[in-house]
Amino acid sequence: MEITELLIRYGELSTKGKNKKKFLKKLYQNVVEKLKKFDQVSVGYDRDRMHVKLNGEDAESVIKELKEVFGIQSFSPVIRVDRSIEAAKEAVIELIKSSYTPGMSFKINTRRSDHTFLYDTNEINRFLGTAVEKTFDDIHVKMKNPTTTVRVEVRKRGFFISVETIKGLGGLPVGTGGTGMLMLSGGIDSPIAGYLSLRRGMRIEAIHFHSPPYTSPQALKKAKDLTEKLSHYADELTFIEVPFTEIQEQIKKLIPEEYSMTITRRMMLRLTDEIRKKRNGLAIINGESLGQVASQTLESMAAINEVTNTPVLRPLISMDKTDIIKIAEQIDTYELAIQPFEDCCTIFASNRPKTKPQLQKVKGFEKALDVETLMINAIEGITIQKISAETNERIEMEKEFTSLL
Ligand code: ATP
Ligand code: MG
């Protein structure tokens, strides 16, 4: 007997009241999109559960994909059999056999969503439990913390039997939370800020500033590779590349060194906000974590943030570096992020940035720059691509984007 389907549980989604329908539909669409490479698979859902019918496709491969979908609380590989106790017994014995160890304990946990079935849950538990005890030596029923819990669901379509519950990613389906522009460097932090935003259902577009020839093609590739890692959780991501050389040269030339970092960040934020407006984003996301480096004091954040009223989300604000690194390892961005290709901030970094910049001074120094022209030049030089893990495609979309400006 083979796994016939995967049964998905929603978790937090089930508390969404009136919005639930919208959330479920989005989750359904995301699951369908994620599994589109499996020709035979079909997906259906109701208010309580989603069902992925394998129709002969390999369960392990499908499970691997589902582990990357936000909004799934847990899921179980299931054997579906006809609504008969005899068929259920056979499936339960089969499943126990696959994980049998002498001395093991088990319990049968039956739920009925269809109450028209002849027997109630206690009777079904008893029939199936007895069958297992008769079949295997050295196995016993245990209600508290058994080695294996066999879950049986009685539904109109049949009996659904499973012994394994796999943890899903949790969170909310991507696409239910509006769009945010992720300021993506090549570092450890910003990809995680992107991941956590996706986790709460946002769509993200990555914006990367680079300064050739001071920054290398490898640094740019690294940012794209990080975007590709994130696209596992979002189907396809937009990567927006902003030329930043002219701005950094001007800052280097015209701004006192201790204020260069603050003013560089203000320029980045202004540009990000400009792109956001044109692309209908609602928020900006960055990888700042309080106190991590000089630019990440509250004084500094306030001085930088002053250029916009747009919400700037900082998912990592209260996290320790070690916890950020843990997530980076889980989602496989860590090894990429520590590659030694410097991005534009590192190369132009001052040795003594102000940790408490004064806004008046910032504004005074900034007058030396022709902010407007610098911004127009940068925006004109933007390129945009779609990056997807699935196809490894990086489609140039320069023309389409230019027409949006
Ligand atoms: P990260 O690990 O994300 O690079 P960091 O600890 O190096 O962060 P900073 O250099 O102070 O911190 O950068 C703070 C945030 O500014 C980054 O998390 C990112 O959101 C944004 N940022 C920095 N450099 C760039 C860049 N070249 N392109 C786009 N965004 C950037
Ligand atoms: Mg960095």
Side-chain angles (χ1 to χ4, degrees), residues 304-330:
I304 296 166
N305 213 147
E306 196 261 345
V307 301
T308 178
N309 287 323
T310 303
V312 177
L313 310 182
R314 299 174 174 88
L316 310 186
I317 195 67
S318 63
M319 287 174 70
D320 289 348
K321 194 76 183 188
T322 46
D323 296 327
I324 298 170
I325 289 175
K326 252 185 232 152
I327 303 180
E329 283 169 344
Q330 275 163 24

Side-chain angles (χ1 to χ4, degrees), residues 183-185 188-190 207 209 265 286-287 292 295-296 345:
M183 299 176 72
L184 182 84
S185 68
I188 296 169
D189 301 324
S190 41
I207 297 186
F209 296 90
R265 294 304 158 124
N286 70 29
Q292 203 188 81
S295 59
Q296 298 175 19
C345 302

Side-chain angles (χ1 to χ4, degrees), residues 182-193 206-211 215 223 240 242 244 248 261 265 268 272 285-289 292-296 316 321 324 337 343-346:
L182 170 68
M183 299 176 72
L184 182 84
S185 68
I188 296 169
D189 301 324
S190 41
I192 307 309
I207 297 186
H208 178 72
F209 296 90
H210 75 130
S211 303
T215 54
I240 300 169
V242 189
F244 205 53
Q248 293 214 285
M261 184 275 298
R265 294 304 158 124
M268 279 188 180
T272 302
I285 305 150
N286 70 29
E288 288 173 335
S289 166
Q292 203 188 81
V293 289
S295 59
Q296 298 175 19
L316 310 186
K321 194 76 183 188
I324 298 170
D343 70 13
C344 57
C345 302
T346 334

Side-chain angles (χ1 to χ4, degrees), residues 2 30 56 81 104 120 122 158 173 224 243 266 292 325 397:
E2 280 194 347
N30 293 352
V81 294
M104 75 180 280
D120 69 18
N122 286 330
K224 291 183 187 179
R266 283 166 63 93
Q292 203 188 81
I325 289 175
M397 300 202 21

Side-chain angles (χ1 to χ4, degrees), residues 1 79-91 110-120 124 127-128 152-161:
M1 265 183 188
I79 296 180
R80 190 189 74 82
V81 294
D82 292 340
R83 280 160 53 107
S84 94
I85 294 287
E86 281 315 306
K89 278 183 190 168
E90 208 181 311
T110 304
R111 281 177 36 147
R112 283 196 310 176
S113 65
D114 171 25
H115 293 273
T116 61
F117 190 67
L118 188 58
Y119 302 111
D120 69 18
I124 298 170
F127 290 144
L128 298 179
V152 179
E153 286 200 30
V154 181
R155 297 182 153 246
K156 284 227 158 58
R157 270 200 311 127
F159 277 45
F160 295 77
I161 302 166

Side-chain angles (χ1 to χ4, degrees), residues 108-300:
I108 312 272
N109 186 342
T110 304
R111 281 177 36 147
R112 283 196 310 176
S113 65
D114 171 25
H115 293 273
T116 61
F117 190 67
L118 188 58
Y119 302 111
D120 69 18
T121 52
N122 286 330
E123 287 168 319
I124 298 170
N125 286 342
R126 207 159 358 98
F127 290 144
L128 298 179
T130 310
V132 171
E133 282 179 320
K134 272 193 194 150
T135 309
F136 299 93
D137 296 332
D138 205 8
I139 192 168
H140 60 283
V141 175
K142 191 172 168 227
M143 285 302 141
K144 258 194 180 169
N145 297 326
T147 322
T148 295
T149 300
V150 180
R151 290 175 210 282
V152 179
E153 286 200 30
V154 181
R155 297 182 153 246
K156 284 227 158 58
R157 270 200 311 127
F159 277 45
F160 295 77
I161 302 166
S162 64
V163 292
E164 193 188 1
T165 301
I166 301 166
K167 209 167 169 327
L169 278 184
L172 300 171
V174 173
T176 56
T179 299
M181 316 310 286
L182 170 68
M183 299 176 72
L184 182 84
S185 68
I188 296 169
D189 301 324
S190 41
I192 307 309
Y195 174 79
L196 294 175
S197 305
L198 290 168
R199 191 182 144 85
R200 293 312 293 171
M202 286 174 75
R203 270 189 224 288
I204 58 174
E205 299 199 339
I207 297 186
H208 178 72
F209 296 90
H210 75 130
S211 303
Y214 305 105
T215 54
S216 62
Q218 290 101 309
L220 182 62
K221 180 171 182 294
K222 180 175 159 186
K224 291 183 187 179
D225 289 345
L226 288 168
T227 305
E228 189 179 310
K229 293 286 179 195
L230 287 178
S231 73
H232 281 265
Y233 307 92
D235 177 33
E236 184 178 72
L237 283 185
T238 303
F239 181 87
I240 300 169
E241 196 180 312
V242 189
F244 205 53
T245 313
E246 186 188 11
I247 293 175
Q248 293 214 285
E249 285 174 341
Q250 290 287 304
I251 289 175
K252 179 103 187 143
K253 200 163 99 188
L254 300 171
I255 306 292
E257 195 184 329
E258 70 213 48
Y259 272 86
S260 67
M261 184 275 298
T262 310
I263 292 179
T264 304
R265 294 304 158 124
R266 283 166 63 93
M267 290 304 291
M268 279 188 180
L269 192 54
R270 284 192 179 101
L271 284 163
T272 302
D273 205 26
E274 205 48 39
I275 299 166
R276 174 199 65 77
K277 271 184 223 155
K278 294 178 201 307
R279 300 195 51 89
N280 298 319
L282 290 172
I284 294 167
I285 305 150
N286 70 29
E288 288 173 335
S289 166
L290 192 60
Q292 203 188 81
V293 289
S295 59
Q296 298 175 19
T297 61
L298 274 188
E299 290 84 354
S300 173

